[in-house]
Amino acid sequence: MAARAGLGTLVGAVLLAPIVYALVRLRRHAPDARSTAELVGSTLGQRGTAFAGVLQVTGYVLIAVTAAQFIGLVFVPQQATTDPLSPIEPNYWLWSLWAVAAIVVAAMLVFALPGRVVASLAAVLALVGLLIQFYYALAVAARAMTGTVTEQIVSHDPPPTLGVLGTLTVLAVSLFGVEVVTTRTRRGSSNGWPMSLAVGVVALIAAVTWWAAQQSGWGGNSLNGSTFGIAVGELYGDTGATVVTVGATMFIFAALLALLWGIAAVTEGLDAQASPDTVFAGIVVAMAVLAVAVIQADWTPGYVGGLILLALYAVVLVANSRIAADSVVSWWLRFVMPVVLAAVVLLPPLWADFSLGALEPVLVAAVLVAAAAATALLGTRSRPD
């Protein structure tokens, strides 16, 4: 998903840089914390831990379900309709079955394998998938620059400035979730390099993919790299398109593994009556049910998940502000980042003139954030903060 977000991934990388900085400071403040939620709780107390934990799990679940949707769709044969003018639609029940299978397989790997093995497997899958995208992006760009590609006719004008900002904001959210690194590894968030490197590599490859799509003539003023697959198919046939699809699937399955790995880490730190394994199994079942529901409803919850993680990042910044510091960067985070985060939420609805379709994910995210706050408050009201 993030690997095809084009210029939006660059915006996402810029937005996430202060979050990585805040997580690094929190890790140094609380080196024994086992998750992002516990890092937050080191300065905001038990309620902060509970609130951040619920937000983290909710965001991970929604993004993981979206990843499973994509993986499931790859394995579903397209069914031609009787109307030649209508779009080809997949078998939704078969799609649901494959999506649930992806969730179950990833959950079994997380449950059965040691954490280091899961992390290594996810890293290898992501790296190979990204390298495939990068290789074909360079190949498409090289073919385009030789002048052997027929220029495609673009039927629309470049979007206005507000439309550009709104689109880039939506695309930037697809990169959210990088803080999953902090849920298991202390080294991963003590100096920030693994997180920063991951964000930088994905942003670079997404930018190259977008540039290749533009060079091929299929970009059509688009701000993302969604037409990259079309360009590969036209230039390198079914084999090239299949290889690129496999690469994208590997990257997204790696994301699914990492997200479930993060959920398992958060559940280990929850103060619940049930065991962590039972809680994790319950979350996996809920994810499977949600995957079937959203596929049948033809809806994708990933953007809502990104907005919920945005709320988590706001909590991370608040927790970071509780650590005494007089540096320019710390003061910049306190004053500028609230405005930036508000813009990320409000720009897409503003661009769409506050239409119901644009407001829907924001409203759903707001309800889920309020529910997370209520859950944290009720779950910790009998404990001293």
Side-chain angles (χ1 to χ4, degrees):
M1 293 175 283
R4 294 283 184 89
L7 296 183
T9 304
L10 296 178
V11 177
V14 173
L15 292 176
L16 284 173
I19 310 301
V20 173
Y21 171 80
L23 288 171
V24 169
R25 293 192 72 231
L26 286 170
R27 172 61 71 188
R28 292 173 179 172
H29 176 73
D32 295 327
R34 294 171 296 177
S35 68
T36 302
E38 292 188 10
L39 291 176
V40 169
S42 66
T43 60
L44 298 184
Q46 289 286 345
R47 289 177 179 172
T49 300
F51 184 42
V54 176
L55 286 178
Q56 192 175 16
V57 170
T58 304
Y60 284 0
V61 164
L62 294 176
I63 297 176
V65 167
T66 302
Q69 282 182 277
F70 175 88
I71 296 170
L73 187 59
V74 170
F75 294 96
V76 178
Q78 303 295 310
Q79 295 179 334
T81 59
T82 55
D83 184 2
L85 298 179
S86 62
I88 298 176
E89 294 186 357
N91 183 321
Y92 284 89
W93 286 112
L94 187 58
W95 183 6
S96 301
L97 180 63
W98 280 110
V100 171
I103 293 172
V104 171
V105 170
M108 290 178 63
L109 290 173
V110 171
F111 181 79
L113 298 177
R116 290 179 180 270
V117 177
V118 175
S120 300
L121 178 59
V124 170
L125 288 174
L127 181 60
V128 174
L130 287 173
L131 287 177
I132 290 174
Q133 300 282 320
F134 187 63
Y135 170 79
Y136 272 96
L138 293 180
V140 168
R143 282 282 298 273
M145 287 188 292
T146 61
T148 59
V149 177
T150 304
E151 184 176 356
Q152 306 300 319
I153 299 176
V154 178
S155 60
H156 59 273
D157 297 325
T161 302
L162 185 58
V164 170
L165 292 175
T167 303
L168 287 177
T169 301
V170 172
L171 295 171
V173 174
S174 68
L175 191 59
F176 290 177
V178 69
E179 82 293 335
V180 71
V181 176
T182 68
T183 60
R184 288 280 189 176
T185 59
R186 296 179 185 178
R187 185 178 62 180
S189 56
S190 60
N191 54 28
W193 277 110
M195 287 185 287
S196 302
L197 181 62
V199 173
V201 169
V202 173
L204 172 64
I205 293 177
V208 173
T209 300
W210 169 83
W211 177 67
Q214 300 297 316
Q215 293 295 318
S216 69
W218 289 96
N221 297 321
S222 173
L223 297 174
N224 62 31
S226 60
T227 57
F228 173 67
I230 301 175
V232 172
E234 288 293 321
L235 295 177
Y236 299 101
D238 292 339
T239 300
T242 300
V243 173
V244 167
T245 301
V246 170
T249 304
M250 293 174 68
F251 177 78
I252 293 177
F253 186 75
L256 179 59
L257 263 182
L259 291 167
L260 284 170
W261 185 51
I263 290 173
V266 177
T267 56
E268 288 177 1
L270 292 178
D271 188 9
Q273 294 181 349
S275 67
D277 290 344
T278 302
V279 175
F280 179 70
I283 292 174
V284 172
V285 171
M287 287 175 59
V289 173
L290 180 61
V292 174
V294 295
I295 288 174
Q296 297 302 317
D298 199 17
W299 188 62
T300 302
Y303 184 62
V304 176
L307 291 177
I308 291 175
L309 289 184
L310 190 67
L312 172 65
Y313 299 155
V315 176
V316 167
L317 291 174
V318 172
N320 173 67
S321 67
R322 297 292 182 90
I323 302 175
D326 295 325
S327 66
V328 176
V329 176
S330 297
W331 283 104
W332 179 80
L333 289 179
R334 293 178 183 180
F335 290 103
V336 176
M337 285 307 295
V339 178
V340 173
L341 297 180
V344 170
V345 175
L346 296 177
L347 273 175
L350 180 62
W351 163 48
D353 295 327
F354 293 98
S355 65
L356 182 60
L359 286 174
E360 180 183 357
V362 177
L363 295 176
V364 172
V367 170
L368 292 175
V369 170
T375 301
L377 181 63
L378 294 175
T380 58
R381 62 180 178 179
S382 60
R383 308 176 206 163
D385 204 10

